Amino acid sequence: MRKGKIRKNSHCDKILSFLEIDGNSLSSWECIDHLRIQNLPQRIKEIEQYGYIIDRKTENDEDGNSYTRYSLVKDIDNE
């Protein structure tokens, strides 16, 4: 259930706008680099509280370090 609307130009709004572009996904480092926003996992939790469904995929970089990549699945209001 939604708590209301995501505030325009907030960090959550900027992340959601990026993820809504077809095929876009973000890792924490990409979020810092492209959007200048830190703490992506917390912002993702907040976005989910508004009813959006976010997919999490664990990936490994070339050094074998794992990280999470987030992508938008859908908004539950549009099911």
Side-chain angles (χ1 to χ4, degrees):
M1 176 177 260
R2 291 188 186 238
K3 290 183 176 179
K5 293 189 116 182
I6 293 177
R7 194 168 34 99
K8 190 155 178 73
N9 292 320
S10 67
H11 286 173
C12 289
D13 181 54
K14 291 176 184 178
I15 292 166
L16 186 58
S17 293
F18 182 86
L19 293 176
E20 285 178 325
I21 297 171
D22 191 39
N24 272 1
S25 63
L26 273 176
S27 69
S28 290
W29 283 110
E30 291 167 342
C31 189
I32 292 168
D33 189 43
H34 298 303
L35 302 176
R36 303 291 190 243
I37 298 171
Q38 297 182 16
N39 202 357
L40 179 60
Q42 182 59 40
R43 301 294 79 80
I44 292 295
K45 286 180 185 177
E46 292 170 9
I47 290 168
E48 288 176 324
Q49 290 174 349
Y50 285 96
Y52 294 89
I53 299 173
I54 304 294
D55 182 52
R56 292 165 173 79
K57 183 184 281 188
T58 301
E59 297 183 351
N60 294 309
D61 65 16
E62 60 276 352
D63 296 325
N65 298 311
S66 63
Y67 61 94
T68 302
R69 177 165 297 284
Y70 301 91
S71 58
L72 180 66
V73 175
K74 59 185 167 182
D75 179 337
I76 61 171
D77 288 344
N78 292 328
E79 288 187 315

